[in-house]
Amino acid sequence: MKQHAEREILVPTLLCDKKGNLNPEAIGYARKPIIDCNLSGHFMRKKKWNYWCVYGEDILFSATISHLDYAAVCFVYFLEYETQRYVEKTIVIPLGTKVKMPTQVLETVSYGNSELRIRISYFNGDTHLSVTCPDFDGERLQAELTIHHPADDDSLNVVIPWNRQLFQFTAKHHTLPTTGIVKIGERRYTFSEEESYAVLDFGRGVWPREATWNWGMASQKMRGRRIGLNFGGKWTDGTGMTENAVFVDGIMTKIHEDVLFHYDPTHFMKPWAITSKFSDTVNLTFTPFFERVAKTDAKLIRSEVHQLVGYYNGYVKLENGALRISQMLGCIEEHLAKW
């Protein structure tokens, strides 16, 4: 058995029709961020986020601005690989009225108060990520990163249709060379574009009340090539669309087949396996060395994320042969949401 090939979108397309329901013309995937997320209506059901994860030589650094319709949530976190020092800061803005989420993938978005300021500004092929936090585990955090979007690179931009009223657009942009600094107290971490790569997860959609998903990703230089992996599970199953793709030096190979995540939900630090559903196209293991747990329980909203940092090993079969993956740093997660 084999899954059908997904439809490729080649022209700029609106995500929604005039009633705020899914535009059937938007179902498919694109290699460029040409979907305009003109969400409207669907009171309290719209979910929007811009999540950045940057892999440096010494640390992983992440910043997010999100809006869940009844609140905006902004958070930053960092992990030093060697010492496993980990710090996370989250702020919740009830109703989130001052947080304006853009409809295009590469547009500026920002929020700030006295506890945390995040500014993500896009200009002329670069994203400038600026974060300030006066009290980040008792120290001052200042991050100034420039993320370069190579003009000819493909990116993964896909619309997942559960039905006309429930749907999600996701953009996963990989292997984006990054320069700049992250400073925590007196410690200063430098990012160089030869060794540091950023991943963007941009989401806009109308979600069911409860959802579960897996996401596995990595963006690193291996054997002189920029390699990006993106795999998703559970939330896309049965929709005819996937968020599965591999990037090699900016060229994306779309994997139309569902992938399965095999793991122990009682012990997330055990090795995971990712395999394609019908074939041997994807055969990867993921061995974690760190677990991030983020829980929210606010009656109306419940969210539990187990995000692991670790190493991928195995292979992905491409048209020109198998892409071997060895000790590739990346992340994998399980997310349960009631929102």
Side-chain angles (χ1 to χ4, degrees):
M1 188 172 173
K2 195 179 173 196
Q3 278 183 228
H4 66 287
E6 300 151 291
R7 174 170 163 264
E8 185 169 354
I9 297 169
L10 301 168
V11 296
T13 304
L14 291 173
L15 177 61
C16 301
D17 63 18
K18 289 188 171 112
K19 291 180 180 173
N21 293 327
L22 176 60
N23 170 16
E25 292 299 308
I27 299 172
Y29 76 96
R31 293 174 187 275
K32 300 289 178 190
I34 54 176
I35 306 294
D36 189 324
C37 300
N38 59 330
L39 286 178
S40 65
H42 300 284
F43 184 63
M44 293 299 179
R45 304 279 7 113
K46 298 184 294 298
K47 312 299 171 195
K48 307 171 184 178
W49 61 79
N50 288 48
Y51 165 95
W52 279 99
C53 181
V54 188
Y55 294 99
E57 287 183 79
D58 306 304
I59 67 167
L60 179 156
F61 182 75
S62 180
T64 297
I65 298 177
S66 70
H67 205 305
L68 307 177
D69 245 12
Y70 37 75
V73 181
C74 301
F75 58 91
V76 296
Y77 60 87
F78 113 106
L79 169 69
E80 187 173 47
Y81 308 131
E82 198 171 323
T83 62
Q84 297 208 2
R85 184 190 176 197
Y86 175 79
V87 183
E88 180 162 355
K89 179 84 166 190
T90 301
I91 58 168
V92 177
I93 307 103
L95 301 177
T97 44
K98 290 185 177 169
V99 183
K100 297 285 178 270
M101 303 296 287
T103 65
Q104 300 275 1
V105 176
L106 300 178
E107 273 190 278
T108 294
V109 58
S110 65
Y111 181 76
N113 65 15
S114 60
E115 291 180 78
L116 180 65
R117 304 189 80 81
I118 302 174
R119 182 170 177 80
I120 304 163
S121 54
Y122 178 79
F123 178 73
N124 219 11
D126 290 329
T127 291
H128 300 278
L129 175 59
S130 177
V131 179
T132 310
C133 179
D135 180 4
F136 194 65
D137 195 27
E139 298 184 293
R140 181 179 174 80
L141 162 70
Q142 181 72 44
E144 298 294 340
L145 297 169
T146 300
I147 299 159
H148 182 53
H149 300 259
D152 296 331
D153 271 21
D154 290 338
S155 54
L156 176 64
N157 307 273
V158 61
V159 173
I160 305 296
W162 295 299
N163 56 48
R164 289 292 299 278
Q165 282 77 42
L166 298 173
F167 51 89
Q168 168 77 352
F169 168 76
T170 185
K172 301 293 201 302
H173 293 211
H174 276 266
T175 63
L176 305 175
T178 301
T179 57
I181 60 130
V182 171
K183 200 170 172 223
I184 299 168
E186 295 305 307
R187 296 293 306 271
R188 182 187 174 100
Y189 303 93
T190 306
F191 292 72
S192 68
E193 64 178 46
E194 277 303 301
E195 300 294 336
S196 305
Y197 295 97
V199 177
L200 168 64
D201 173 11
F202 173 103
R204 299 289 187 274
V206 183
W207 280 74
R209 180 82 175 98
E210 294 188 37
T212 304
W213 69 80
N214 293 126
W215 180 35
M217 57 92 164
S219 273
Q220 300 293 327
K221 188 163 268 190
M222 283 184 60
R223 298 183 291 276
R225 296 189 294 176
R226 284 185 300 136
I227 306 290
L229 306 176
N230 199 90
F231 298 104
K234 291 191 175 73
W235 74 287
T236 60
D237 295 357
T239 64
M241 297 297 304
T242 80
E243 61 163 338
N244 303 327
V246 176
F247 302 83
V248 180
D249 287 332
I251 297 168
M252 177 175 75
T253 299
K254 183 75 179 70
I255 297 170
H256 305 297
E257 199 176 333
D258 287 337
V259 298
L260 305 173
F261 288 70
H262 312 271
Y263 58 100
D264 182 349
T266 66
H267 188 9
F268 289 97
M269 288 293 284
K270 283 184 182 172
W272 296 43
I274 304 178
T275 57
S276 36
K277 191 171 183 179
F278 302 117
S279 70
D280 61 350
T281 301
V282 179
N283 192 335
L284 294 167
T285 58
F286 179 86
T287 307
F289 64 80
F290 179 81
E291 179 181 8
R292 168 185 172 244
V293 181
K295 289 186 184 181
T296 308
D297 192 349
K299 295 198 171 105
L300 269 179
I301 13 173
R302 275 217 312 276
S303 167
E304 187 169 329
V305 184
H306 292 264
Q307 182 184 36
L308 295 305
V309 184
Y311 293 99
Y312 287 93
N313 286 280
Y315 67 81
V316 181
K317 285 189 176 175
L318 306 177
E319 283 178 13
N320 57 355
L323 177 68
R324 295 272 164 201
I325 303 296
S326 57
Q327 285 300 96
M328 186 178 183
L329 179 68
C331 293
I332 206 163
E333 70 180 45
E334 178 194 82
H335 192 136
L336 309 174
K338 187 174 182 181
W339 54 2

